[in-house]
């Protein structure tokens, strides 16, 4: 059952217009924790001599329109590292199993849920190859359209191995750019044959919400589709608003899900330095 608080917050998200007030804030939050089941200590794993969290924060900071850019963690070791680098850091609860719950707590600590049109961006700490030009693509739909309450960066899939890889969460969207479903299966099916022309897209670890929509999302119980696909975006399908895709071309950008992915990231970084 949806709580009355959730219903109220969700109803409010339908009342706000485009981002036109100078008081509206754009808040970037990087959730990070050491206790990843497949890769413990992942945020501080070195990549070409720098902890992964440092790559993520430095790249995210190149976007110039942040009002706040912070690290949110429950681990002292991450907080201490962030402080040595001068990164703003918020200590959140250790009970969060999902990144967006940690982001929502941090956003509330920053007062985001008290301002109707504040934009909260979740920047996954395992995306060391993100680029600053991804953020305008992600945020612009929230700025320009009254009906958009949540977005996800949807990167085109360029090769078949990535399309078939269950670690890659694929997106099915309609013609209006609304997410219909996300799956770890190789979709769209296309008779089982991959081609770039099918325009398959995957979730890249950047998500944006209007602050009250994020609050409503985290107050809504996990849903069956979310649990089946191990993807939070499917929860939105059971709520009263849509997540919109922010299309982005395929670029060499590897999420770090396991220690083996570090090699892919390091190779991509070296290739970009040579280019």
């Amino acid at each position: 059952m949806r709580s009355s608080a959730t219903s109220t917050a969700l109803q409010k998200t339908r009342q706000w217009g485009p981002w036109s007030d100078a008081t509206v804030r754009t808040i970037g939050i990087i959730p990070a924790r050491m206790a990843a089941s497949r890769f413990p200590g992942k945020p501080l794993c070195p990549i070409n001599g720098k902890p992964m969290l440092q790559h993520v924060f430095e790249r995210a900071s190149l976007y110039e329109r942040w009002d706040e850019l912070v690290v949110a963690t429950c681990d002292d070791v991450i907080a201490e590292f962030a402080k040595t680098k001068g990164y703003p850091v918020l200590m959140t609860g250790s009970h969060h199993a999902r990144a967006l719950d940690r982001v929502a707590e941090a956003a509330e600590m920053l007062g985001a849920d008290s301002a109707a049109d504040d934009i909260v961006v979740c920047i996954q700490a395992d995306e060391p190859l993100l680029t600053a030009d991804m953020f305008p693509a992600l945020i612009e739909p929230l700025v320009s359209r009254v009906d958009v309450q949540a977005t996800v960066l949807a990167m085109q899939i360029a090769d078949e191995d990535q399309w078939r890889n269950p670690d890659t969460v694929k997106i099915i969207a309609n013609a209006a750019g609304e997410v219909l479903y996300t799956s770890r299966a190789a979709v769209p099916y296309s008779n089982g044959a991959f081609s770039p022309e099918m325009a398959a897209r995957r979730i890249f670890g950047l998500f944006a919400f209007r602050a009250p929509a994020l609050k409503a999302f985290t107050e809504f119980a996990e849903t069956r589709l979310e649990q089946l696909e191990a993807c939070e975006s499917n929860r939105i399908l059971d709520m009263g608003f849509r997540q919109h895709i922010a299309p982005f071309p395929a670029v060499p950008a590897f999420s770090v899900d396991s220690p083996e992915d570090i090699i892919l990231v390091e190779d991509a970084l070296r290739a970009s330095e040579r280019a």
Side-chain angles (χ1 to χ4, degrees), residues 1 10 22 30 33 41 54 69 79 115 122 126 135 140 152 165 173 208-209 218 226 236-237 251 255 261 265 271:
M1 290 289 292
L10 185 56
I30 304 172
R33 64 174 185 149
Q54 185 174 351
L69 177 62
C122 172
D126 56 5
F135 295 109
E140 191 279 333
V152 57
N165 187 343
F209 288 81
T218 58
E226 175 184 4
I236 293 176
L237 300 176
V251 297
S255 305
D261 294 327
V265 172

Side-chain angles (χ1 to χ4, degrees), residues 40-111:
K42 180 167 65 171
L44 298 184
C45 179
I47 297 176
N48 285 0
K50 289 195 299 189
M52 181 163 60
L53 180 59
Q54 185 174 351
H55 285 278
V56 173
F57 193 96
E58 288 179 351
R59 284 171 170 256
S61 67
L62 295 176
Y63 177 62
E64 297 179 347
R65 294 200 62 181
W66 297 121
D67 293 289
E68 307 262 8
L69 177 62
V70 304
V71 175
T73 187
C74 60
D75 292 302
D76 290 338
V77 65
I78 292 177
E80 288 305 315
F81 170 76
K83 290 173 184 176
T84 66
K85 294 296 180 183
Y87 306 159
V89 61
L90 294 173
M91 296 302 296
T92 57
S94 60
H95 59 288
H96 299 304
R98 300 190 182 278
L100 284 175
D101 293 325
R102 190 176 310 283
V103 167
E105 182 186 353
E108 187 169 359
M109 293 168 70
L110 293 168

Side-chain angles (χ1 to χ4, degrees), residues 12-275:
K12 287 180 179 178
T13 66
R14 301 187 179 115
Q15 299 172 0
W16 299 313
W19 182 25
S20 58
D21 191 326
T23 64
V24 172
R25 293 184 297 160
T26 304
I27 300 169
I29 299 175
I30 304 172
R33 64 174 185 149
M34 297 295 283
S37 58
R38 292 179 56 189
F39 193 172
K42 180 167 65 171
L44 298 184
C45 179
I47 297 176
N48 285 0
K50 289 195 299 189
M52 181 163 60
L53 180 59
Q54 185 174 351
H55 285 278
V56 173
F57 193 96
E58 288 179 351
R59 284 171 170 256
S61 67
L62 295 176
Y63 177 62
E64 297 179 347
R65 294 200 62 181
W66 297 121
D67 293 289
E68 307 262 8
L69 177 62
V70 304
V71 175
T73 187
C74 60
D75 292 302
D76 290 338
V77 65
I78 292 177
E80 288 305 315
F81 170 76
K83 290 173 184 176
T84 66
K85 294 296 180 183
Y87 306 159
V89 61
L90 294 173
M91 296 302 296
T92 57
S94 60
H95 59 288
H96 299 304
R98 300 190 182 278
L100 284 175
D101 293 325
R102 190 176 310 283
V103 167
E105 182 186 353
E108 187 169 359
M109 293 168 70
L110 293 168
D113 68 340
S114 65
D117 272 335
D118 278 359
I119 295 170
V120 180
V121 180
C122 172
I123 306 164
Q124 295 280 36
D126 56 5
E127 299 287 3
L129 294 173
L130 67 85
T131 57
D133 58 342
M134 294 175 176
F135 295 109
L138 184 75
I139 294 168
E140 191 279 333
L142 290 160
V143 171
S144 63
R145 291 181 52 182
V146 64
D147 59 316
V148 176
Q149 308 301 329
T151 60
V152 57
L153 197 81
M155 185 175 290
Q156 188 156 352
I157 297 175
D159 66 85
E160 183 171 354
D161 287 345
Q162 192 172 59
W163 180 61
R164 297 192 183 279
N165 187 343
D167 287 337
T168 302
V169 181
K170 275 71 70 175
I171 300 172
I172 298 296
N174 63 17
E178 300 170 330
V179 176
L180 297 176
Y181 191 61
T182 62
S183 179
R184 296 181 182 275
V187 291
Y189 171 60
S190 190
N191 292 319
F194 175 82
S195 70
E197 289 72 29
M198 68 196 294
R201 294 189 175 100
R202 67 180 179 95
I203 284 181
F204 189 85
L206 299 178
F207 309 86
F209 288 81
R210 297 188 193 274
L214 175 60
K215 182 177 175 63
F217 174 84
T218 58
E219 290 177 348
F220 202 97
E222 288 187 23
T223 66
R224 175 176 170 272
L225 292 179
E226 175 184 4
Q227 293 169 346
L228 285 173
E229 296 285 1
C231 183
E232 294 164 291
S233 288
N234 283 340
R235 189 186 309 179
I236 293 176
L237 300 176
D238 291 310
M239 299 181 67
F241 64 94
R242 293 281 194 182
Q243 185 179 40
H244 288 247
I245 62 169
F248 203 82
V251 297
F254 304 98
S255 305
V256 177
D257 297 308
S258 66
E260 292 74 22
D261 294 327
I262 296 293
I263 298 172
L264 297 175
V265 172
E266 290 183 332
D267 289 345
L269 285 170
R270 283 190 286 266
S272 66
E273 290 169 358
R274 291 194 298 266

